[in-house]
């Protein structure tokens, strides 16, 4: 009798505490479970939650939900994951409940992948069936490939087929995520046309015109950068099969501060860094990003814009670097000076001329503000000496 295969140490999933980045459905499992227990609406076929609960999971609820988690009755707060216009999230959910696939378009760092992950986690309970589009993505990676050694030995059999994340989603009736779709070449993108319209993949290598059909619950969330250079625009055929939802750069400063606050706190917890970015420092960081991005200051002074996109994600990165820096090499308090020191790398990326742009901002705006404000003074001095 054959012995059962021993689970090797490499393949066994590590305990949750040993996963560097838990997928949303694991990290927020208690929230998803609380929403499930409090479900009052009809749940679409093969969805884990009703559209209303999916929305609640992504935009948060005012009051915590009472639920039984691990046998104990507890109050579970549903936190806001995506900040911004809630109608964007609503439209995305409506699309996913329809025949059409969803394309989230926008500037880099506006939270497209983040929203896509949370949508998949709430709707299918699985956000990891994902392909990252690149110039080298092939049609096989979207559909299926073969275990060549076994094909040679045994010929094409269903067991010798290697299903793509897309095919697995179809079989499970789950959401498939396609990141950065416009970085793939047109021919590869067009492999999705038949998947979107027929909801099936033909496997001509197998006998009897084999087809893999999608179960209810299958749909696609793709993301695309509006700014990316060398993008391959979707073909007209594919465009028709997607609903476009545009994700704008966060419009108001209060929301941006909130995003940077919550996300940097979460990331610092993940890396077990005991440091905190105080409110005035967060505000200063958000102000610098906003003013340089818009090319105009709060006082109405025009400043040059750098060529890099100053996204919210970049601001989170600066806050995080500053916090890690102060934890290991400073006092542990994230001051405006740490922000100044860590800002340069995120503004000067593509174009060295951006150094000039930053210098102009510093001497025109930050220096002046520093005359009456200790935070701005510390920021100015640290940033200017980091450039030199
Ligand atoms: N509107 C937003 N709401 C919540 N988080 C956001 C938002 N915009 C950006 N972020 C954060 O910025 C980071 C990068 O976002 P990401 O989804 O990777 O951007 P994109 O895919 O649009 O390039 C994530 O940590 C995300 O949490
Ligand atoms: Mg992305």
């Amino acid at each position: 009798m054959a012995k059962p295969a021993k689970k090797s140490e490499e393949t066994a999933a590590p305990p949750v505490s040993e996963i560097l980045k838990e997928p949303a459905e694991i990290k927020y499992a208690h929230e998803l479970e609380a929403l499930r227990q409090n479900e009052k609406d009809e749940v679409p076929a093969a969805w884990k939650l009703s559209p209303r609960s999916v929305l609640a999971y992504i935009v948060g609820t005012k009051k915590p939900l009472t639920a039984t988690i691990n046998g104990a009755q507890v109050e579970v707060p549903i936190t806001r994951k995506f900040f911004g216009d809630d109608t964007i999230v609503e439209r995305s959910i409506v699309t996913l409940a329809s025949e059409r696939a969803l394309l989230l378009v926008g500037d880099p760092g506006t939270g497209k992948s983040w929203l896509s992950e949370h949508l998949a986690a709430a709707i299918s309970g699985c956000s990891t069936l994902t392909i990252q589009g690149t110039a080298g993505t092939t049609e096989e990676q979207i559909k299926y490939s073969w275990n060549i050694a076994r094909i040679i030995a045994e010929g094409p059999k269903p067991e010798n087929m290697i299903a793509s994340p897309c095919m697995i989603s179809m079989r499970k009736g789950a959401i498939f995520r396609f990141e950065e779709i416009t970085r793939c070449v047109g021919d590869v993108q067009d492999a999705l046309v038949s998947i979107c319209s027929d909801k099936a993949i033909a496997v001509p290598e197998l006998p009897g015109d084999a087809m893999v059909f999608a179960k209810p619950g299958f749909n696609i969330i793709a993301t695309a950068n509006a700014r990316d250079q060398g993008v391959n625009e979707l073909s007209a055929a594919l465009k028709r099969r997607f609903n476009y939802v545009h994700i704008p750069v966060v419009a108001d400063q209060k929301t941006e501060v909130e995003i940077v606050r919550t996300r940097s706190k979460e990331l610092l917890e993940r890396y077990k860094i005991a440091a905190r970015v105080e409110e005035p420092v967060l505000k200063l960081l958000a102000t610098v990003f906003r003013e340089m991005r818009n090319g105009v200051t709060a006082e109405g002074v025009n400043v040059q814009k750098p060529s890099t996109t100053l996204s919210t994600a970049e601001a989170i990165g600066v806050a995080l670097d500053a916090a890690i820096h102060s934890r290991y090499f400073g006092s542990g308090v994230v001051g405006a000076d740490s922000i100044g020191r860590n800002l340069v790398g995120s503004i000067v990326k593509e174009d060295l001329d951006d150094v000039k742009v930053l210098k102009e901002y510093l001497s025109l705006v930050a220096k002046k503000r520093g005359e009456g404000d200790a935070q701005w003074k510390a920021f100015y001095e640290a940033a200017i000496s980091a450039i030199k």
Side-chain angles (χ1 to χ4, degrees):
M1 207 172 73
K3 271 194 202 154
K6 214 172 136 198
K7 232 181 179 181
S8 88
E9 265 180 26
E10 292 96 286
T11 54
V16 167
S17 60
E18 284 181 21
I19 301 177
L20 180 56
K21 182 185 179 291
E22 299 151 359
E25 61 275 19
I26 295 181
K27 177 143 203 246
Y28 298 99
H30 55 294
E31 292 192 19
L32 293 166
E33 176 57 23
L35 283 160
R36 198 190 59 74
Q37 288 178 19
N38 285 273
E39 190 63 82
K40 290 186 189 75
D41 268 1
E42 198 185 322
V43 179
W47 280 29
K48 299 278 186 219
L49 294 172
S50 68
R52 204 183 288 278
S53 300
V54 174
L55 180 70
Y57 166 74
I58 290 171
V59 305
T61 56
K62 287 207 182 83
K63 283 191 210 144
L65 301 179
T66 311
T68 313
I69 308 278
N70 299 332
Q73 201 178 43
V74 284
E75 298 283 294
V76 182
I78 310 295
T79 55
R80 184 180 266 275
K81 319 291 179 307
F82 182 77
F83 293 82
D85 193 348
D86 292 357
T87 58
I88 291 177
V89 186
E90 262 172 43
R91 267 191 292 136
S92 306
I93 297 170
V94 168
T95 300
L96 290 169
S98 79
E99 275 285 285
R100 283 175 168 231
L102 171 66
L103 182 69
L104 302 172
V105 222
D107 279 349
T110 44
K112 299 180 296 297
S113 306
W114 177 250
L115 176 59
S116 146
E117 176 181 351
H118 285 291
L119 283 168
I123 293 173
S124 309
C126 174
S127 63
T128 50
L129 293 165
T130 307
I131 289 181
Q132 184 71 41
T134 68
T137 303
T138 60
E139 198 173 329
E140 287 94 76
Q141 286 165 356
I142 298 178
K143 292 181 165 174
Y144 59 88
S145 53
W146 296 98
N147 180 332
I148 302 293
R150 291 184 58 175
I151 287 275
I152 292 169
E154 306 167 4
K157 284 186 181 175
E159 310 88 87
N160 299 345
M161 187 165 76
I162 303 168
S164 69
C166 178
M167 189 179 260
I168 299 172
S169 305
M170 292 169 81
R171 284 186 178 144
K172 281 177 69 159
I175 300 282
F176 163 58
R177 296 173 51 212
F178 200 140
E179 288 285 310
E180 307 281 359
I181 188 171
T182 47
R183 300 185 70 198
C184 302
V185 294
D187 289 357
V188 173
Q189 291 178 15
D190 280 344
L192 282 181
V193 173
S194 66
I195 296 175
C196 285
S197 44
D198 307 337
K199 314 282 184 213
I201 296 178
V203 189
E205 295 93 333
L206 290 178
D209 297 330
M211 298 280 274
V212 174
F213 293 101
K215 283 201 180 139
F218 168 74
N219 208 335
I220 303 172
I221 309 177
T223 64
N225 273 333
R227 272 251 199 160
D228 224 353
Q229 283 149 0
V231 288
N232 304 297
E233 230 201 310
L234 298 198
S235 66
L238 203 51
K239 268 187 189 155
R240 258 193 312 114
R241 287 165 174 89
F242 275 92
N243 270 352
Y244 281 48
V245 172
H246 182 254
I247 312 283
V249 176
V250 178
D252 65 300
Q253 163 136 356
K254 223 176 117 218
T255 313
E256 191 156 23
V257 169
E258 206 166 342
I259 300 176
V260 179
R261 185 196 307 122
T262 39
R263 290 293 295 141
S264 54
K265 186 166 162 270
E266 266 175 34
L267 291 165
L268 287 171
E269 278 165 14
R270 183 195 294 170
Y271 293 102
K272 302 198 167 47
I273 307 276
R276 240 191 77 158
V277 193
E278 299 295 338
E279 208 58 23
V281 177
L282 279 176
K283 280 216 180 97
L284 182 143
L285 172 64
T287 307
V288 174
F289 265 68
R290 174 157 308 270
E291 292 180 336
M292 291 198 76
R293 181 193 297 148
N294 298 342
V296 55
T297 69
E299 297 86 8
V301 178
N302 285 325
V303 289
Q304 288 180 66
K305 295 186 204 175
S307 57
T308 328
T309 352
L310 291 177
S311 65
T312 311
E314 283 294 343
I316 297 170
V318 173
L320 196 65
D321 286 351
I324 296 175
H325 193 265
S326 0
R327 166 67 185 76
Y328 290 134
F329 299 112
S331 61
V333 181
V334 187
D337 54 329
S338 345
I339 298 288
R341 223 168 285 126
N342 287 284
L343 181 77
V344 184
S346 64
I347 294 188
V348 186
K349 266 192 180 162
E350 293 155 34
D351 193 345
L352 285 180
D353 279 350
D354 286 344
V355 175
K356 284 191 211 130
V357 177
L358 179 58
K359 258 191 187 159
E360 185 205 69
Y361 178 84
L362 290 173
S363 50
L364 224 62
V365 185
K367 192 175 178 190
K368 270 227 182 85
R369 285 187 189 151
E371 286 163 11
D373 184 320
Q375 296 275 6
W376 279 95
K377 185 165 189 283
F379 167 76
Y380 168 74
E381 283 169 0
I384 222 54
S385 61
I387 294 178
K388 274 178 193 155

